[in-house]
Amino acid sequence: MNEYEALTTSAQLVLIEFYATWCGHCRNMMPVVAEIRELLGDTVPIYQIDIDENGYAAEQAGVTSTPTFIIYRGGVPVWQYSGEIDGNVLLQKLQAFMS
């Protein structure tokens, strides 16, 4: 098992965001993701992966644009979205998979 697979299976439900430091949309999403992390606490691990530093993980996940959000449940991708997304929508998606 590689590092990326270890992240996706580190909990029953995991959110991974692929981003790039040079990506304006990614910078816009940083406070949104931070707020969701604060709201969920330790309930759902949220990992942010820089595609320039972790190209292999991005390639393995099939990421072609940033930001890309992937929700894993039991190590399986169950939802994916690329681009800016409203924080409430992202939070609702996570909560839908929590039950």
Side-chain angles (χ1 to χ4, degrees):
M1 178 181 300
N2 64 40
E3 283 182 49
Y4 182 68
E5 289 170 337
L7 289 180
T8 65
T9 58
S10 63
Q12 178 61 24
L13 195 65
V14 175
L15 172 63
I16 296 184
E17 176 196 10
F18 286 92
Y19 74 97
T21 55
W22 45 262
C23 166
H25 296 294
C26 300
R27 284 194 297 273
N28 293 342
M29 291 305 300
M30 287 294 173
V32 174
V33 173
E35 186 176 336
I36 291 172
R37 180 180 278 126
E38 192 174 305
L39 287 169
L40 294 177
D42 294 335
T43 313
V44 177
I46 298 174
Y47 300 107
Q48 293 171 291
I49 299 176
D50 185 332
I51 63 164
D52 292 323
E53 294 179 10
N54 300 283
Y56 178 76
E59 186 178 306
Q60 191 175 4
V63 172
T64 57
S65 63
T66 55
T68 292
F69 299 91
I70 305 175
I71 296 175
Y72 286 86
R73 187 173 186 180
V76 177
V78 291
W79 180 83
Q80 182 169 329
Y81 182 85
S82 294
E84 289 189 45
I85 185 170
D86 182 89
N88 290 325
V89 173
L90 185 55
L91 184 59
Q92 287 170 359
K93 287 290 181 189
L94 280 165
Q95 290 171 333
F97 289 110
M98 289 169 87
S99 53

